[in-house]
Amino acid sequence: MDYIPDRLRAGEQPADALEGEYGADADAPVWPVEPGRYRLVAAKACPWANRSIIVRSLLGLEDVISLGLPGPTHDERSWTFDLDPGGVDPVLGIERLQEAFLNRDPDYAKGITVPAIVEVETKQVVTNDFPWITHDFFFEWRDHHRPDAPDLWPDECREEMEAVMKRVFTEVNNGVYRCGFAGSQEAYESAYERLFAALDWLEERLTDRRYLMGESITEADVRLFTTLARFDPVYHGHFKCNRNKLSEMPALWGYARDLFQTPGFGESIDFEQIKAHYYVVHTDINPTGIVPLGPDTAGWLTPHGRG
C-alpha cells in the first residue's frame, strides 16, 4: 500500500483494490488454492505489506506462496524490483509491479500498491486488497498451514477482536499518517491527540495481558506491530508523533519487543529500508531526502520480561 492521505478511511479496503476470490464457487474472478501458483509481492518497507509477510511466515506458507521483495523506494508509477539482479523479479520476470496490474486490467489507472498477490503463470495481479490477503492466508489456505500454526482468528473473541482491530486501524495505523500529512495546525493537533489517546488505551490494555486478545497471538497483534516497529525510527520525527517514543511506554515497548523476538516478526523488519522509504519517498515532508542515522535499534533484542 502507499500511505497518501486519501487512503485514510474508516474501513480497511483500499479504494484501488483489485478483487479476486479463492475457491470453486465464487462470482468474482476465481483463483484456485494451489501451492506454487502465486507470488506475494510485498515490500518490507511498507507497514501494510509487512503484515502479509508476517502472516505468511506464522502460518508456514513459505513453500506454498513465494515472496517477491520490491525495494524501499519507488516513483509515481510503481514499486520496482531494484533489490534483485538486473532490477527484475526472478520469478515473474518483471521490473515494475505495475506490469502485473496492467496484465490484469490494461486500463488500470489507480495506485500500484503492495501487498499484491500475483499469479505466476499469467503474471497478473489476483488481488491487492491488503486486509483480505492475510484473512485469506488464514481461512482459504488452511489445508497448507504448518501443524502448529497459531489461531490468528479465534472464534471465542472474534467480535471483540474486530472492534480492537478497527480502533487500531483508524486511530493508530492510519493515525500516524493523519499526523504526518495534516494540512493545518488544527488538523495536526487533532490527529496527534487522537493517536496518543489510542496509544494510552493500548498501554493500559497491555499492562495486564501479554497480547491484545490475551495469551495468544492473533491477527490484531500483527496489525498493531507493523506500526509500532516504525514508530521511533520514522513516525516520532518524520510524522511529528513526538509526545513520547515507543520506548518510553513500558507496556507497549515490552509488547513490541516480545513480538519482535517471536519467529516471523523480527526477521520481517528492515529498519534501513523503512527509513529509506519514508524519508526518500515523502519529498513534500522531507525535501532534502536526508535519511537519519538513528535511532539505535539494539534495544529491540533486549529482554522483554513478558513471558
Side-chain angles (χ1 to χ4, degrees), residues 27-290:
D27 295 327
V30 178
W31 309 88
V33 174
E34 182 180 307
R37 187 175 184 125
Y38 308 103
R39 187 161 178 81
L40 169 65
V41 178
K44 284 189 173 183
C46 171
W48 319 98
N50 194 175
R51 294 181 184 182
S52 61
I53 298 173
I54 293 170
V55 171
R56 171 180 172 270
S57 179
L58 291 177
L59 299 178
L61 294 173
E62 296 96 329
D63 295 331
V64 178
I65 301 170
S66 65
L67 176 64
L69 295 169
T73 61
H74 59 78
D75 57 25
E76 293 181 357
R77 289 174 57 196
S78 179
W79 292 86
T80 55
F81 295 97
D82 46 292
L83 299 178
D84 293 308
V88 175
D89 180 88
V91 172
L92 299 173
I94 60 178
E95 296 180 359
R96 292 177 171 273
L97 181 57
Q98 182 185 45
E99 296 175 51
F101 279 77
L102 295 177
N103 288 339
R104 168 78 182 272
D105 178 2
D107 297 321
Y108 186 81
K110 298 179 181 178
I112 308 300
T113 63
V114 290
I117 299 291
V118 180
E119 186 178 40
V120 174
E121 183 177 358
T122 62
K123 301 180 184 180
Q124 63 176 300
V125 169
V126 172
T127 182
N128 64 327
D129 194 343
F130 68 93
W132 281 98
I133 287 175
T134 54
H135 179 279
D136 285 347
F137 279 177
F138 183 77
F139 288 101
E140 303 299 334
W141 293 84
R142 198 186 290 264
D143 289 345
H144 302 284
H145 293 179
R146 59 182 173 84
D148 59 344
D151 183 359
L152 297 180
W153 293 81
D155 290 336
E156 64 272 15
C157 62
R158 185 80 54 83
E159 185 175 351
E160 182 187 6
M161 190 176 89
E162 293 278 6
V164 169
M165 290 193 301
K166 182 176 181 180
R167 186 170 182 183
V168 166
F169 174 76
T170 304
E171 304 301 318
V172 181
N173 300 148
N174 266 349
V176 292
Y177 290 102
R178 198 177 288 110
C179 289
F181 288 101
S184 69
Q185 186 69 33
E186 182 181 13
Y188 163 70
E189 291 182 7
S190 174
Y192 178 100
E193 295 299 333
R194 286 177 61 180
L195 169 64
F196 281 99
L199 290 176
D200 287 341
W201 164 69
L202 289 165
E203 175 76 5
E204 182 178 358
R205 184 179 182 91
L206 290 164
T207 296
D208 60 0
R209 65 178 76 197
R210 186 170 183 181
Y211 305 114
L212 282 175
M213 304 313 301
E215 293 304 309
S216 300
I217 291 171
T218 66
E219 172 91 7
D221 298 298
V222 177
R223 295 185 180 198
L224 176 58
F225 172 77
T226 59
T227 295
L228 297 183
R230 289 158 176 77
F231 199 88
D232 288 2
V234 174
Y235 303 144
H236 180 270
H238 185 58
F239 280 175
K240 306 179 185 69
C241 302
N242 61 356
R243 190 195 74 178
N244 54 258
K245 297 178 181 177
L246 171 68
S247 57
E248 295 167 344
M249 303 186 78
L252 272 169
W253 177 224
Y255 163 82
R257 293 182 350 257
D258 187 0
L259 290 175
F260 186 88
Q261 295 168 34
T262 298
F265 285 85
E267 59 264 37
S268 76
I269 299 298
D270 186 316
F271 289 112
E272 295 308 310
Q273 287 195 38
I274 288 169
K275 289 190 295 183
H277 173 66
Y278 286 89
Y279 284 98
V280 173
V281 172
H282 294 168
T283 54
D284 49 345
I285 298 177
N286 187 42
T288 65
I290 294 173

